[in-house]
Amino acid sequence: MSTITNKLLPIFHREGIGVSMILILLFLFLSVSSPYFLTAENLSNLLLQSVFILIVAFGTMFVLTMGGIDLSVGSILGLCGGVSGWLMVHGTNMWLAILAGLALGTLIGLFNGIIITRLRISPFLATFAMLYIARGLLFLLTSKEPIRNFASQEFKFIAQGYVLGIPSPVWIALIIFLLCYFLFSFTKFGRFVVAVGSNKEAAHLSGISTNNINIRVYALSGLLAAASGIMLTSRLTSVQPLMGTNYELDAISAAVIGGTSMFGGKGSVVGVAVGSTILALISNGLDLLSVNQFYRLIITGLIILIAVGAERMTSSRAD
């Protein structure tokens, strides 16, 4: 019990101090600036806004911590959600369609990991190519037209239902958060991911199968992207050809804002949750304040820079 406590304490005392301050300041600013911010409807929408990026960002955090990068997650999200929707349109059982989507995402992630490790193609180029391949397959699947009229009430409940007054996607995200936190903080796999990202050569010499870790991490990233895609399909009750576009950039932003290093060796599941919430707060706040579209990207970029800078400063002082 004391071991678990010792591992949990850093969450509150050392991890994410700077970025948590930015989150609190944003929350307070929006609470004062808009009378609609603290309404139950808006807070529910805020949670929903963060969920889909959050799940993708968990996988991205593992990849970045290992020292890699995955630019294909947005397209994997769209393709896997599309495949599940397409299968249901053609009469496939909902659960089988969902399993097929999850399996496809995992297989694409496995393929990414294999070509990176076996063919020694850089993660950037390999996943960048997969971004186009998966997006192209989704365009073929949809024939450039949305897929509709497949969502049963049971399927809609995945992303539109409520459990104990809380949106069901939030519960799903919480379960995934707990699983990812356990996997990253309390298993050999999590320790090996950090070791490979810190020093790949040293990890190899210590007996860690670095190729195996790479493949498993990319498979996990593909699985989580697929899960988010299926949830988004349930939310939209349709499959759009451009569904998931730019999610890879948002996922990387959420992970980096939360303290994950782009150079490997450092990651935080809790930080990813905070980073995703900050991105959702920015988007939600700009909508509530009716900020001109021309200024939105500038403001978003500046807040991300401030959040990352604050996190780096507090982390360096803690070290």
Side-chain angles (χ1 to χ4, degrees):
M1 185 68 180
S2 60
T3 302
I4 295 176
T5 303
N6 289 337
K7 288 192 174 185
L8 288 175
L9 283 174
I11 298 176
F12 304 102
H13 295 297
R14 294 194 296 273
E15 290 188 5
I17 297 173
V19 75
S20 297
M21 289 171 58
I22 299 297
L23 176 62
I24 293 169
L25 289 174
L26 275 174
F27 192 90
L28 292 174
F29 172 76
L30 292 174
S31 299
V32 173
S33 301
S34 172
Y36 304 106
F37 177 71
L38 289 178
T39 62
E41 182 181 1
N42 184 65
L43 292 178
S44 178
N45 288 334
L46 177 63
L47 286 173
L48 286 173
Q49 277 182 280
S50 65
V51 159
F52 304 105
I53 292 296
L54 174 64
I55 294 172
V56 179
F58 285 142
T60 298
M61 185 277 297
F62 275 90
V63 173
L64 292 176
T65 302
M66 183 189 63
I69 192 167
D70 192 348
L71 299 176
S72 65
V73 288
S75 295
I76 292 174
L77 180 155
L79 178 61
C80 294
V83 166
S84 293
W86 184 87
L87 288 172
M88 282 184 277
V89 164
H90 290 81
T92 304
N93 174 271
M94 181 189 80
W95 295 109
L96 289 177
I98 290 172
L99 286 174
L102 294 174
L104 178 61
T106 306
L107 287 173
I108 294 175
L110 278 171
F111 183 76
N112 280 339
I114 289 170
I115 62 175
I116 289 168
T117 55
R118 305 303 181 191
L119 301 183
R120 300 186 182 280
I121 298 175
S122 74
F124 181 92
L125 290 176
T127 60
F128 189 57
M130 184 56 68
L131 179 155
Y132 283 101
I133 293 170
R135 183 63 60 189
L137 290 172
L138 179 58
F139 269 96
L140 288 174
L141 187 68
T142 57
S143 299
K144 298 185 180 179
E145 292 291 335
I147 298 174
R148 298 189 177 93
N149 303 320
F150 61 85
S152 63
Q153 290 302 316
E154 291 81 5
F155 186 68
K156 289 179 182 178
F157 183 81
I158 293 173
Q160 297 183 31
Y162 286 81
V163 178
L164 300 177
I166 298 174
S168 50
V170 176
W171 288 109
I172 295 172
L174 177 61
I175 292 169
I176 293 175
F177 166 81
L178 293 173
L179 290 173
C180 288
Y181 184 77
F182 176 79
L183 188 64
F184 188 73
S185 302
F186 296 101
T187 67
K188 285 184 180 179
F189 174 71
R191 292 193 292 273
F192 288 170
V193 168
V194 175
V196 171
S198 299
N199 191 320
K200 186 176 180 180
E201 186 63 28
H204 177 71
L205 293 175
S206 68
I208 297 173
S209 176
T210 55
N211 285 348
N212 180 266
I213 293 297
N214 265 269
I215 292 171
R216 289 165 66 186
V217 165
Y218 279 103
L220 176 63
S221 179
L223 172 62
L224 291 173
S228 183
I230 292 167
M231 290 172 62
L232 188 58
T233 300
S234 170
R235 182 71 181 171
L236 300 174
T237 63
S238 67
V239 177
Q240 307 291 335
L242 295 177
M243 189 169 73
T245 301
N246 292 330
Y247 268 53
E248 60 279 351
L249 300 180
D250 289 337
I252 291 171
S253 297
V256 173
I257 289 171
T260 299
S261 173
M262 289 286 290
F263 303 102
K266 182 185 177 184
S268 170
V269 177
V270 176
V272 169
V274 176
S276 298
T277 305
I278 285 177
L279 289 179
L281 268 176
I282 295 170
S283 177
N284 181 258
L286 293 175
D287 287 337
L288 291 176
L289 299 176
S290 301
V291 174
N292 189 298
Q293 185 66 33
F294 295 110
Y295 298 108
R296 291 174 69 97
L297 293 176
I298 297 172
I299 294 171
T300 301
L302 287 174
I303 295 175
I304 289 174
L305 281 176
I306 293 170
V308 173
E311 176 59 22
R312 294 296 182 267
M313 288 177 62
T314 54
S315 295
S316 62
R317 288 176 183 175
D319 294 337

